[in-house]
Amino acid sequence: MNARASARDQSEALLARAHALGADLLVMSAYPHSPLREFVLGGVSRFMLEHADLPLLMRHWQGRTGPGR
């Protein structure tokens, strides 16, 4: 996905892929952004909670992982 895509675009792509795979459940992590960023840009987690049409399992994530972290 394009890093500049909106939260709505990213969420809709995730849901479309989950449906294409025949998924019964979508598991994803969620981590907070500043209130201003959430207000201006929205958030994938919030959009998914409001619009997902299949069950979600979300885990709050405070850190980031990856090489050298």
Side-chain angles (χ1 to χ4, degrees), residues 5-67:
S6 72
R8 180 185 188 106
D9 293 340
Q10 293 174 13
S11 300
E12 288 174 348
L14 285 170
L15 287 172
R17 184 68 175 152
H19 287 295
L21 293 170
D24 295 321
L25 172 71
L26 185 59
V27 179
M28 56 189 289
S29 62
Y31 59 94
H33 295 289
S34 72
L36 178 60
R37 182 169 190 250
E38 285 286 330
F39 177 75
V40 173
L41 301 176
V44 173
S45 301
R46 179 178 303 273
F47 187 92
M48 294 297 278
L49 287 170
E50 293 173 355
H51 300 283
D53 56 354
L54 69 154
L56 296 174
L57 175 62
M58 296 182 127
R59 184 193 188 291
H60 179 75
W61 187 256
Q62 293 179 339
R64 295 183 185 200
T65 60

